[in-house]
């Protein structure tokens, strides 16, 4: 077996920075530390020992064994996965939080970072799930595999609740275990030859799943972008809506509104432009409406409010941020029957094939919970949960505004996008963590367009939001 080689890279580590980003489960405790050097990190990240392992081409095989005796299979690593620059953003934030807690064991760390929900699921929803769970212990109530596309009551309930009068019916709805899972299933549907566009900054799942499926070139460190992806810059200068006149045609356009991370939502007029653009180019929009219930103004809640969208759009959505289902897992994807490939074949038929091949349907307990979400009581309870987070958002917006920062988002989304002009996002993230013990998310983790921003999530208990605000005021007074 070839001898492992090592190289040492000397870089500067900010004192607060986490010393390892290598996934701890991949790194045996007795093994020498092995580190990623990802785009997620600030440029100066420290004195790291980087294992190049058995790699012939230099510093690349970051998790290669260092002992000659360790067994390796003959299976090559998927070259597309090797293109990824780092661990997925949010696990990375989690690792940094853990390292900070180890450094300051007595600190009360507040997490306004990864955007996970914190408030209890309303009782009307959990009791429906409990009833379903108990019924599974009875002969009459037991059920095994369900329909891959979703429960026969849930599909029409989603269609009538969220798409009433828009020409979307139950056959167009595919129930799933969450929007993120469906984003990857859609990438499988489109395949490696599809070209994609994303908002910059954007939720990282679109880009990373595109890289994994092979739609992109390598990462270009000079511009911090993957080759082959059309990055549609969304900044305060363009009202966080891309300049479509300067956007190249792609097969697929990922578009999230209200947007994670910027918190901005596209207006009816802007979405009309987007649909027109897709129709002129023969592209498919994958519209992520995971935060639609947070909209307070007259921005569309679904892309299907826009005339002509059914022929060019797919929508992914989820109960995660409405009902606290981040752990329960229940989402859906809408693929209208009108959406056709260039040869006239319905996209939904192929998606059905993907779902039947790679998925055995959402959990029956989660689906019972989803049905309860859509009852009159459930809808009311969900809007109270959303209302609670929106109050949190307002507290965060007021805090940063009172400190003289320019803040964006917040109105139609549970995210506040705080501008730190000219500063490195990871530096700001590290400084906030060090000085306040509050975890945020560095904007550059969402794409180069996020540099100079930090995303503050409004998902948190009220006392934590108030305490975080107090600490921010202390830090920036
Ligand atoms: C824009 C966006 N889409 C999808 C998801 C994931 O949703 P789910 O929990 O349904 O997988 C998230 C989660 O943060 C998100 O921000």
């Amino acid at each position: 077996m070839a001898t492992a080689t090592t190289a040492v890279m000397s870089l500067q580590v900010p004192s607060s920075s986490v010393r390892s980003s290598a996934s701890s489960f991949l790194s045996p405790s007795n093994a020498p530390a092995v580190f990623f050097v990802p785009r997620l990190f600030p440029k100066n990240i420290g004195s790291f020992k980087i294992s190049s392992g058995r790699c012939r081409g230099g510093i690349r095989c970051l998790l290669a064994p260092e002992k000659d005796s360790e067994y390796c299979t003959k299976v090559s690593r998927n070259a597309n996965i090797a293109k990824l620059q780092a661990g997925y953003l949010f696990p990375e934030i989690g690792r940094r939080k853990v390292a900070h807690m180890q450094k300051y064991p007595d600190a009360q760390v507040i997490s306004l970072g990864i955007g996970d929900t914190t408030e209890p699921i309303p009782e009307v929803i959990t009791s429906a799930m409990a009833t379903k769970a108990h019924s599974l212990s009875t002969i009459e109530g037991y059920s095994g595999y369900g329909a891959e596309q979703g429960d026969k009551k849930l599909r029409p309930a989603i269609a009538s609740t969220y798409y009433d009068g828009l020409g979307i019916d139950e056959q167009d709805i595919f129930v799933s275990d969450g929007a993120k899972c469906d984003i990857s299933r859609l990438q499988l549907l489109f395949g490696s030859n599809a070209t994609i566009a994303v908002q910059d900054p954007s939720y990282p799942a679109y880009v990373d799943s595109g890289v994994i499926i092979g739609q992109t070139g390598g990462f270009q460190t000079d511009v911090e972008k993957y080759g082959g992806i059309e990055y549609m810059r969304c900044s305060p200068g363009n009202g966080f809506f891309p300049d479509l006149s300067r956007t190249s045609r792609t097969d697929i356009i990922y578009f999230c509104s209200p947007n994670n991370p910027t918190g901005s939502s596209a207006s009816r007029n802007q979405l009309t432009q987007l649909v027109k653009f897709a129709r002129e180019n023969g592209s498919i929009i994958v519209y992520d409406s995971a935060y639609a219930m947070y909209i307070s103004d007259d921005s569309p809640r679904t892309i299907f409010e826009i005339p002509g969208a059914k022929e060019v759009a797919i929508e992914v959505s989820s109960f995660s941020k409405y009902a606290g289902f981040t752990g329960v897992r229940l989402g859906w994807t809408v693929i209208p029957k009108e959406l056709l490939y260039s040869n006239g074949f319905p996209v939904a038929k192929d998606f059905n094939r993907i779902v039947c091949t790679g998925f055995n349907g959402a959990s029956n307990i989660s689906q019972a919970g989803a049905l309860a979400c859509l009852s009159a009581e459930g809808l009311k309870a969900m809007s109270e949960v959303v209302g609670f987070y929106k109050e949190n958002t307002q507290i965060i917006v007021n805090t940063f505004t009172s400190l003289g920062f320019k803040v964006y988002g917040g109105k139609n989304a549970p995210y506040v996008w705080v501008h730190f002009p000219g500063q490195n996002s990871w530096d700001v993230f590290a400084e906030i963590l060090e000085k306040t013990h509050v975890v945020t998310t560095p904007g550059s983790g969402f794409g180069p367009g996020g540099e100079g921003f930090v995303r503050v999530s409004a998902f948190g208990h009220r006392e934590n939001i108030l305490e975080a605000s107090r600490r921010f005021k202390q830090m920036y007074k």
Side-chain angles (χ1 to χ4, degrees), residues 178-180 183 203 206 256 260 288 290-291 318 320-321 329 415:
K180 195 194 214 182
I183 290 162
Y203 179 56
Y206 319 129
C256 177
N260 176 9
D288 188 335
Y291 299 96
S318 163
S320 281
K321 309 296 166 86
R329 312 300 306 145
Y415 297 121

Side-chain angles (χ1 to χ4, degrees), residues 206-226:
Y206 319 129
V207 167
D208 285 6
S209 59
V211 173
I212 289 170
I213 209 83
Q215 293 164 343
T216 75
F219 189 70
Q220 302 162 349
T221 40
D222 51 340
V223 285
E224 312 240 307
K225 294 178 179 176
Y226 288 95

Side-chain angles (χ1 to χ4, degrees), residues 38 90 97 113 181 232:
F90 299 116
K97 178 182 166 188
C181 316
M232 305 184 293

